[in-house]
Amino acid sequence: MSLSNITRGLLIAQLKKVLSKESLLQEPETMRPYECDGLSAYRQLPGVVCLPETVEQVQAVMRICYALKVPIVPRGAGTGLSGGALPDSAGVLLVLTKLNHILEIDTQNFCARIEPGVRNLALSDVTRPLGLYYAPDPSSQMACTIGGNVAENSGGVHCLKYGLTVHNVLGLKIITVEGELLEIGGKTLDSSGYDLLALLCGSEGLLGVVVEVTVRLLPCPEYAQVLLAVFDDVAKAGSTVSHIIAAGIIPAGLEMMDKLVIQAVEDFTHAGFPKHAHAILLCEMDGAKTEVIEQISRVQDIMLQSGAFELRVAKDEAERALFWKSRKSAFTALGRLSPDYYCMDGTIPRRSLATVLTRIAALSEAFNLPVANVFHAGDGNLHPLILYDANREGDLKQTERLGSQILELCVSVGGTITGEHGVGIEKLGGMCMQFTSSELTQFLAVKTAFDEQGLLNPGKAIPTLHRCAEFGAMHVHQGQLTFPELERY
Amino acid sequence: MSNDLSHALQAQVKEALANKQTLAIIGGQSKKFLQTPVATSTLELVNHSGVIDYQPSELFITARAGTPLSEIEHLLAEHQQLLASESPHFSRGENLATLGGTIACGYSGSRRPFSGSLRDHVLGVRILNGEGELLTFGGQVMKNVAGFDVSRLMVGARGTLGALLEITLRVMPKPEAEITLRFECSLRHSAQCMVDFMHQSLPLSAMAWLEGAVFIRLQGTERVIQNAKQKVGGELMTNSPHFWQSLGEQTHPFFHAQSPLWRLSMPPSSHLEIPEQALFVDWCGGLRWWHTDKSEDEVKKMAAKQGGYAYLFRDAVPVSGDVPPAHLLALHQRLKKSFDPQCIFNPGVMGDSV
Ligand SMILES: Cc1cc2nc3c(=O)[nH]c(=O)nc-3n(C[C@H](O)[C@H](O)[C@H](O)COP(=O)(O)OP(=O)(O)OC[C@H]3O[C@@H](n4cnc5c(N)ncnc54)[C@H](O)[C@@H]3O)c2cc1C
């Protein structure tokens, strides 16, 4: 469905009254850059694109849309990997990147008030000279916005110790679908009433438009050190992760890469990763110097006992930074290997890492599609990347089928279909797999409490029961898990 | 004692629905200082108990709502683990507090600024909503963004959104050792003193101000702690665990004062004009406990002026505690309806309007 000419005319006439010329895009050529987010397999031109510069403009746009019953899709930098910011042809794409001011850095209260369009990394760049930083660091942090981070409850390589976005947000200002400004929380460590902050974090733009965020800043640790461990077997690396956690150590970050990734990354950044390795683990410790040194030595012992055949400690700060840069550029590096990739995001209990990685390898072979693994091992948050070619007939279909089997596998070992990338448009089917119809109905009821008419980011994140019925019918093994032989937890 | 009463509890909710009754959800009744629900019938959770799954190396525990909090803490301690939020029992030594009641109240102890709040550690829940449906949200893994975060929404909702049946919590390794150091410091200077400690890369796990001194708790291995102690000096307290427990459980003499006790959640460095002897500051300044006879209006305004909020925590008669702020009331009511359309659960515990 697209906007009727009458509604579109009315809408544009009203939007023109509140937005500057440059903030309102309505021609296909100018709207083209916004037709997809990081999940580029799905594309759609929006009805119009609005790029408000002030909170008042956001509010005005929302009021206009509400009165005309026009859907709104919020968008940050468009790096989302689940199609959450995929435009609605009958709606407004509300791009928040021009709201990009750091409003206040409060060093006494360890927090900052920022607008949603501020880039994740830009914030820490400004606060680091003051001895403070914002902990959640998605690999996309150069580009992604804080508003998008809140909407997706994004994580990063350091969230094992420092938590996800939800653990680092103290306050929010949102504009409701009716155009009302609501203030939730503030500079305090908790807030009055229901925990609306928790509910809004990860709500994928379905409950309100975030126009201001108060984030917690942490003091920069005195010292950080990263350890690189090399393995000749993915499963060994997987169990090493469990052994470290079982020993009572919570590293700041614990990341894993398999052979395909190591090779791609090494060609890209030349960090000196051993290309013959089957898996490497990057394990970072931070804190007081004595503490870090003590923990590094304990982790070294565990890694050797668990079968690492080579260990390397970053020799200086520059090498440490290079190791992390390599990790964070993994997706980009893989992008050079293959015309397209499809990034999965299931989380599993750590104890199942070895089993699941082995199963994924088998699936990859069966589908004849390469799967690269680079992921937040400490959290059990997998990112299998399926390499495919969208121009090859049937490749995308096969890729999606493989992806959905990988997610089923994650759910069947007691995990979840998405750890940090969100459901968006992409994992609606997975939602039907993970939740019962009463649970989905409860989600829909929550949505209704915020947005009765379903105008905010419609068709995303929470599937309707109708949609699940359709999805179920598509599946041959309706209601049956693909791996009945696996133990259920 | 392990006992799964989910289906019996579900039947009770359905019956209440059919008979247009309301239900007071009852746990261990430890928090008697709070207003009890005004309901026609009760839903007793204490016997719905037992640990369902505990995997030390996976850092989670799943238990039924009626499980005593102390049972969980003992089990974790056996495996050198703990609940990092250090939530109070308020059981006066009787082990009354249940897991479900603890989650429903959502209080966090002194570790809050360093290890996160109770809600931060909630990974999943199983609940009965107001239509008598058994629903599961979240799971046993830390990273999970499938669907709205209903699990964390339940924390502090005081049972008004549903009856908690099972809860999965993230658990953390227990530090090898802890010490507490005392530093003479006036209230006026305490905020800056705490900010300075924050920047010294210390293995902190609590920081408070009471009776003219700042107290910091350091945790970690012996060596790390000794190193930190050398760096900052201070006077070593002999009874560290007891000291923090008495503050968390409010058994410390400070809490014996007769005046009503107010809880103020504040930006950590904000200054309030409060007589020193009537104040205890926890959470690096983020939480203030104040004995005062001032009016509700006065205390709330004082807190709000500095960007915080306040509610009466204990008085001669039961108090309602935290209630939704006025500007979010309509949203609270709609959310309440979305979980409990006929408003059968815990009427009156979060003010009259939810
Ligand atoms: C190379 C690469 C690496 C990545 N690595 C990580 C990683 O390590 N961890 C991780 O968690 N994610 C990662 N991502 C995913 C993505 O970057 C995050 O989800 C990010 O938070 C999205 O931010 P954005 O500004 O691009 O949001 P968008 O993609 O523009 O939007 C994402 C969702 O948020 C909504 N939204 C955006 N802004 C607002 C707002 N102000 N108010 C309400 N709703 C809003 C949108 O409607 C949409 O549903 C990666 C992506 C890429 C391409």
Side-chain angles (χ1 to χ4, degrees):
Chain A
M1 205 177 55
S2 57
L3 276 173
S4 76
N5 284 341
I6 305 171
T7 318
R8 189 161 194 265
L10 259 175
L11 176 68
I12 289 173
Q14 297 194 19
L15 289 173
K16 273 186 177 160
K17 286 188 200 150
V18 297
L19 295 175
S20 70
K21 219 170 160 184
E22 304 74 51
S23 294
L24 183 62
L25 312 178
Q26 36 178 319
E27 303 305 328
E29 312 81 72
T30 51
M31 295 197 295
R32 189 73 61 200
Y34 299 96
E35 69 177 353
C36 69
D37 62 8
L39 184 71
S40 55
Y42 294 83
R43 288 167 194 273
Q44 174 67 58
L45 276 182
V48 290
V49 175
C50 295
L51 292 135
E53 287 161 272
T54 63
V55 174
E56 292 70 31
Q57 286 181 341
V58 176
Q59 222 167 343
V61 171
M62 300 291 284
R63 289 204 179 112
I64 293 169
C65 291
Y66 188 67
L68 294 173
K69 295 196 179 13
V70 169
I72 294 144
V73 177
R75 176 183 161 116
T79 67
L81 291 170
S82 53
L86 180 75
D88 190 318
S89 61
V92 164
L93 187 74
L94 188 63
V95 184
L96 293 139
T97 45
K98 285 192 183 174
L99 282 172
N100 62 355
H101 300 97
I102 295 178
L103 303 170
E104 183 192 1
I105 295 172
D106 185 343
T107 54
Q108 289 301 102
N109 288 308
F110 294 87
C111 62
R113 281 194 309 120
I114 55 180
E115 290 187 328
V118 171
R119 287 178 304 109
N120 175 295
L121 190 59
L123 176 61
S124 287
D125 281 347
V126 172
T127 60
R128 263 184 211 279
L130 304 168
L132 299 168
Y133 76 111
Y134 176 60
D137 57 342
S139 305
S140 51
Q141 68 184 143
M142 290 265 284
C144 66
T145 67
I146 293 289
N149 292 172
V150 170
E152 300 287 11
N153 188 17
S154 296
V157 298
H158 286 90
C159 67
L160 180 57
K161 181 168 171 187
Y162 296 106
L164 308 159
T165 304
V166 67
H167 303 110
N168 291 279
V169 166
L170 300 174
L172 287 178
K173 284 186 188 165
I174 64 162
I175 306 291
T176 65
V177 70
E178 296 93 349
E180 194 189 342
L181 177 79
L182 289 185
E183 215 169 309
I184 297 161
K187 292 181 177 179
T188 48
L189 284 174
D190 60 18
S191 51
S192 186
Y194 291 152
D195 203 328
L196 300 175
L197 286 178
L199 190 58
L200 285 159
C201 282
S203 64
E204 303 195 24
L206 267 72
L207 305 182
V209 175
V210 176
V211 291
E212 189 183 306
V213 189
T214 303
V215 295
R216 218 177 159 205
L217 298 175
L218 299 180
C220 300
E222 169 183 83
Y223 189 65
Q225 185 55 277
V226 66
L227 191 65
L228 180 136
V230 187
F231 296 84
D232 59 6
D233 174 24
V234 176
K236 271 188 208 161
S239 5
T240 305
V241 172
S242 287
H243 296 156
I244 295 171
I245 306 283
I249 300 169
I250 309 285
L254 185 52
E255 299 284 307
M256 183 163 153
M257 303 186 216
D258 73 4
K259 191 166 184 158
L260 211 49
V261 182
I262 299 167
Q263 289 173 348
V265 162
E266 184 52 25
D267 289 339
F268 191 67
T269 58
H270 310 290
F273 289 177
K275 285 168 81 171
H276 57 280
H278 282 254
I280 61 177
L281 284 179
L282 283 178
C283 180
E284 178 151 295
M285 303 291 173
D286 67 11
K289 194 162 181 178
T290 32
E291 190 180 8
V292 174
I293 291 171
E294 205 170 83
Q295 288 194 335
I296 286 277
S297 108
R298 283 183 64 200
V299 170
Q300 275 177 322
D301 290 346
I302 296 171
M303 285 179 159
L304 287 173
Q305 278 161 23
S306 312
F309 70 81
E310 191 187 328
L311 287 181
R312 210 187 291 166
V313 179
K315 63 176 184 293
D316 51 23
E317 194 47 35
E319 192 172 62
R320 186 181 82 88
L322 183 61
F323 282 2
W324 283 118
K325 181 175 170 237
S326 305
R327 161 62 187 90
K328 289 183 181 176
S329 57
F331 290 2
T332 318
L334 282 158
R336 305 203 313 175
L337 283 192
S338 162
D340 300 281
Y341 66 76
Y342 189 63
C343 176
M344 318 296 307
D345 174 43
T347 305
I348 57 167
R350 278 177 291 268
R351 58 168 180 253
S352 309
L353 273 175
T355 334
V356 169
L357 289 173
T358 314
R359 294 305 301 239
I360 290 178
L363 283 169
S364 159
E365 207 154 296
F367 277 81
N368 197 20
L369 285 166
V371 177
N373 284 292
V374 46
F375 60 96
H376 313 299
D379 297 302
N381 183 195
L382 303 177
H383 288 325
L385 271 94
I386 307 173
L387 307 183
Y388 74 103
D389 181 355
N391 289 327
R392 206 160 57 206
E393 179 75 26
D395 238 29
L396 178 61
K397 263 222 143 63
Q398 277 295 86
T399 298
E400 288 186 325
R401 209 167 290 156
L402 170 55
S404 127
Q405 293 210 4
I406 292 176
L407 291 187
E408 258 179 62
L409 177 60
C410 293
V411 175
S412 73
V413 298
T416 171
I417 55 168
T418 173
E420 60 180 14
H421 294 166
V423 173
I425 193 93
E426 178 208 14
K427 297 180 205 87
L428 289 169
M431 288 293 284
C432 311
M433 196 159 76
Q434 189 169 330
F435 294 99
T436 65
S437 55
S438 342
E439 287 152 6
L440 292 171
T441 305
Q442 182 63 68
F443 285 144
L444 292 168
V446 170
K447 163 77 170 163
T448 307
F450 283 81
D451 174 18
E452 205 176 342
Q453 305 184 38
L455 293 176
L456 272 170
N457 217 0
K460 311 279 175 65
I462 312 290
T464 58
L465 298 186
H466 181 70
R467 163 114 202 189
C468 284
E470 275 175 12
F471 172 80
M474 267 161 45
H475 265 238
V476 198
H477 305 289
Q478 190 176 358
Q480 241 180 6
L481 291 167
T482 323
F483 303 98
E485 76 277 21
L486 277 175
E487 202 181 335
R488 301 285 183 276
Y489 298 95
Chain B
M1 197 175 56
S2 187
N3 216 349
D4 183 0
L5 302 180
S6 321
H7 292 285
L9 292 163
Q10 181 179 33
Q12 240 185 301
V13 172
K14 290 201 162 156
E15 193 188 310
L17 266 174
N19 299 335
K20 301 219 175 312
Q21 287 177 323
T22 52
L23 293 169
I25 305 172
I26 312 277
Q29 297 194 284
S30 58
K31 293 156 191 75
K32 281 259 173 84
F33 54 90
L34 290 172
Q35 180 87 56
T36 37
V38 202
T40 54
S41 191
T42 60
L43 189 70
E44 305 253 0
L45 266 297
V46 256
N47 293 324
H48 178 66
S49 63
V51 172
I52 297 170
D53 195 359
Y54 171 40
Q55 309 264 349
S57 69
E58 293 292 325
L59 301 180
F60 77 80
I61 187 164
T62 305
R64 295 196 185 92
T67 316
L69 187 57
S70 54
E71 180 183 327
I72 291 174
E73 289 173 343
H74 286 137
L75 178 64
L76 295 179
E78 280 171 26
H79 294 86
Q80 279 71 54
Q81 294 188 329
L82 47 69
L83 297 178
S85 63
E86 218 170 15
S87 293
H89 293 233
F90 295 137
S91 293
R92 302 167 301 276
E94 289 185 68
N95 293 339
L96 298 173
T98 60
L99 177 62
T102 304
I103 300 291
C105 288
Y107 304 134
S108 307
S110 299
R111 225 184 220 101
R112 161 69 184 99
F114 306 98
S115 312
S117 63
L118 178 60
R119 81 84 135 115
D120 286 349
H121 295 275
V122 169
L123 303 180
V125 294
R126 186 153 177 261
I127 63 165
L128 268 169
N129 69 5
E131 298 190 81
E133 292 170 316
L134 287 166
L135 309 175
T136 305
F137 299 102
Q140 298 181 328
V141 292
M142 189 61 188
K143 286 172 90 172
N144 185 355
V145 292
F148 300 130
D149 196 345
V150 173
S151 314
R152 294 197 173 98
L153 179 65
M154 292 296 141
V155 184
R158 304 266 297 278
T160 58
L161 298 177
L164 289 157
L165 295 184
E166 285 166 24
I167 300 101
T168 300
L169 285 172
R170 173 165 135 118
V171 301
M172 298 295 271
K174 191 177 162 160
E176 231 173 85
E178 70 168 57
I179 59 168
T180 296
L181 301 172
R182 180 178 180 279
F183 302 82
E184 294 275 333
C185 182
S186 69
L187 177 60
R188 189 159 276 287
H189 291 114
S190 62
Q192 189 56 48
C193 170
M194 290 184 182
V195 169
D196 293 342
F197 279 133
M198 288 292 279
H199 280 290
Q200 293 186 47
S201 238
L202 300 169
L204 289 165
S205 73
M207 188 143 59
W209 179 92
L210 182 70
E211 294 164 349
V214 165
F215 296 85
I216 67 173
R217 182 173 61 188
L218 303 172
Q219 63 166 45
T221 60
E222 286 292 348
R223 229 182 97 217
V224 166
I225 290 178
Q226 286 315 320
N227 241 294
K229 182 176 182 307
Q230 268 176 14
K231 190 149 108 185
V232 293
E235 176 196 340
L236 184 69
M237 304 260 297
T238 48
N239 52 354
S240 173
H242 174 77
F243 174 71
W244 293 102
Q245 196 188 7
S246 70
L247 291 174
E249 294 295 344
Q250 304 190 340
T251 54
H252 187 277
F254 168 82
F255 293 99
H256 296 168
Q258 286 306 307
S259 316
L261 177 68
W262 287 79
R263 180 190 190 274
L264 294 81
S265 181
M266 302 299 301
S269 288
S270 57
H271 181 72
L272 295 172
E273 276 308 328
I274 294 178
E276 297 210 353
Q277 68 283 2
L279 182 72
F280 158 48
V281 180
D282 202 354
W283 293 7
C284 310
L287 187 63
R288 325 266 171 106
W289 296 98
W290 182 16
H291 281 292
T292 179
D293 291 309
K294 286 197 189 304
S295 73
E296 168 163 357
D297 195 49
E298 227 176 321
V299 180
K300 289 198 159 168
K301 274 198 181 132
M302 257 176 89
K305 208 170 151 208
Q306 298 293 326
Y309 74 98
Y311 59 86
L312 181 57
F313 197 80
R314 280 180 200 264
D315 201 353
V317 293
V319 296
S320 49
D322 184 26
V323 297
H327 72 287
L328 297 174
L329 189 58
L331 184 55
H332 276 72
Q333 287 167 338
R334 292 199 302 273
L335 266 174
K336 162 79 176 169
K337 282 256 152 95
S338 78
F339 283 88
D340 180 13
Q342 300 203 35
C343 298
I344 61 168
F345 287 131
N346 278 2
V349 300
M350 271 186 110
D352 300 330
S353 8
V354 171

